[in-house]
Amino acid sequence: MCGIVGFTEAHHDPAEARRTVQAMAALIRHRGPDGEGIYADDRAALGHRRLSIIDLDGGGQPMFNEDGSLVVVFNGEIYNYQELARQLSAAGHTFATRSDTEVLLHGWEQWGKALPGKLRGMFAFVLWDRNTGTLFGARDLFGIKPLYYYRRGELLLFASEIKAFLAHPGFVKRFNEDRLPDYLSTEYLPGDETLFTGVYELLPGHSFTWQEGRLTRERYGKIRYRIREGRSLDEWAGRIDKAFTDSVAAHKIADVEVGCFLSGGVDSSLTACKAARQQKNLQCFSVGYAEEAYSELPAARQAAEALGVPCTETTVSAGEFFDANRAIQWYLDEPMPNPAEVPLYFLCKSARQRVKVVLSGEGADELFGGYPLYCQGVHMAAWQHLPKGVRRALARLAPGCGFLRRGAQSRWQRCARANYVFADPAERDRYLKRKYSSQTPAQRFKPYFDKVRGLDEATALQWVDLHTWLPRDILRKADRMSMAHSLELRVPFLDRAVLAVAMELPRADRCTRRKTKVALRAAAARSLPPELAGRKKRGFPVPLADWLRQDTYYTMVREKFVGPVAERFFDTRALCDLLEAHRTGKVNAMTKIWSFYCFIVWYELYFVEPLPPKF
């Protein structure tokens, strides 16, 4: 687990390039405090910050092949590297280390661009072929590990985090203001654009090739449903149980101690249960608040007792929550107003004091139908059997009924996830200081729904989430909050073998009108007590709405809402009116307020204050 940086251009001074790439790597030192590696020639420079997990003594990077013609930097873990190493050794390749990184070098020599499709794990890597002048990069199928790039003329930059680009003299830092409305609508930008002009995120399951100033991108892997009918729920539970047990075993490969996050929900409880059976004295970690109505600690405590594992608890106060937000927005690269990232930040901080690697339950909801949104999709699909004219007439008769209104719309128009913050773009635009020629949130998501027209509604929603919500929200905050504390976070649900089972599950074994994760809960019931296997999803609740009504935090937010950044982009009176309406209880505007506030904090950090900031 590491951080990677680098660049290539037609020609540069190697000594100067070395200094530049070292400065880039220094900005993401938190991703790898155990070591630094730098390579530079007259066309390319690659940098690496290492968090030592496998082959502690021999896995340093950049790593070279035998004659030094290939150089690679790699972030992540390849869980089938031992199997691939045996295949490559049988084909005549000689290994000098026990590191999974070396598989990438010999794999490129053997398979070329087909290499990423053979990897089981979480990864982002970039390989420089000196002989052909080719820079090749790839990112894992789910988007667990990040990889960004920036092109300007014959210069191409790449890095694990955008902030590394700030150290390169060729990087022109500009705010991608045209996408501000999209950020305010959905908390993130779907697709590959970022809020930095010219900076793109390599999409999950994609690779890029840069040669002679030309950039090409290819998709090497796809997530496709291949539904198989005819199996009983018990059979599906058995297949899930086996695949996930094997995945946890693979994800525990490390030369350091591995722990687990434990919230008390079925996903984390099953992960901890499987890990505890494979490892003695497994350490677990949970987080919550003093406000017990919002805290996961009682549920986590119950789960830990049922599983017989020790659990370290962390409690986050309101003051800590607000004080940490500035650092959190810096680590995230782009503003992210999901309040769940704050307790996750403290959870990672606590875990890192005791272990170097943790397993977590991200991805189970998207794969196995865990969100109530999918249940709504099942209900809505039945409603769609009525003629469209009837549905439209009923919607006109009861304009205040959201279900009827959505039922008269096309699937892509009624996507609840697309309208996560502002259901109505016109409402959002009232807070903006100038008019933008922006698409509606639903229009931004339409291309995703167009690709899965043949799927039932709930399954289509899952597929869209797997390509948008999961990589751009869930996995981004998981990666950044863990790496902020030099902690490796592994997600055994997001594994190729587990995915293969999930993609075959009939919809009724994923979700119904009232039940979520039907088959996964049946699988969990084989290992967990009924109260854990059947526990309803609770999300990651926070008492932020209550805190925003307290004078201390109301004042803190209001100061930002009347400050120079707010004045530049927003109608400050409208912001203050929204905040006041929330404080007096007229509305619950927590999500909207936090979206504006986090953006302002982020913009100050990256475009107003000196870089890098001090915390």
Side-chain angles (χ1 to χ4, degrees), residues 335-351:
M336 191 173 182
N338 187 332
E341 69 212 12
V342 183
L344 181 58
Y345 176 86
F346 286 99
L347 180 61
C348 292
K349 181 179 181 180
S350 171

Side-chain angles (χ1 to χ4, degrees), residues 475-512:
L475 294 177
R476 184 155 71 97
K477 70 173 182 283
D479 173 79
R480 298 305 200 282
M481 296 302 92
S482 58
M483 285 285 91
H485 299 290
S486 307
L487 176 74
E488 174 165 310
L489 188 151
R490 298 179 177 180
V491 282
F493 278 108
L494 295 178
D495 175 78
R496 283 180 176 270
V498 178
L499 174 69
V501 178
M503 292 296 100
E504 293 182 348
L505 268 178
R507 192 272 303 154
D509 292 308
R510 284 178 271 119
C511 59
T512 66

Side-chain angles (χ1 to χ4, degrees), residues 34-35 44 63 85 92 113 141 195 225 262 266 270 299-300 327 335 343 434 445 458 506 510-511 520 545 582 607 615:
D34 295 339
M63 190 173 284
K113 292 182 179 181
L141 182 64
L195 285 177
Y225 283 93
L262 183 60
V266 61
L270 184 59
R434 74 174 181 85
F445 282 75
R510 284 178 271 119
C511 59
L520 179 61
H582 178 87
F607 292 92
F615 300 113

Side-chain angles (χ1 to χ4, degrees), residues 240-262:
I240 294 170
D241 185 63
K242 183 182 185 307
F244 188 63
T245 300
D246 293 345
S247 179
V248 170
H251 281 70
K252 288 185 77 284
I253 296 174
D255 294 329
V256 296
E257 186 176 357
V258 178
C260 268
F261 286 163
L262 183 60

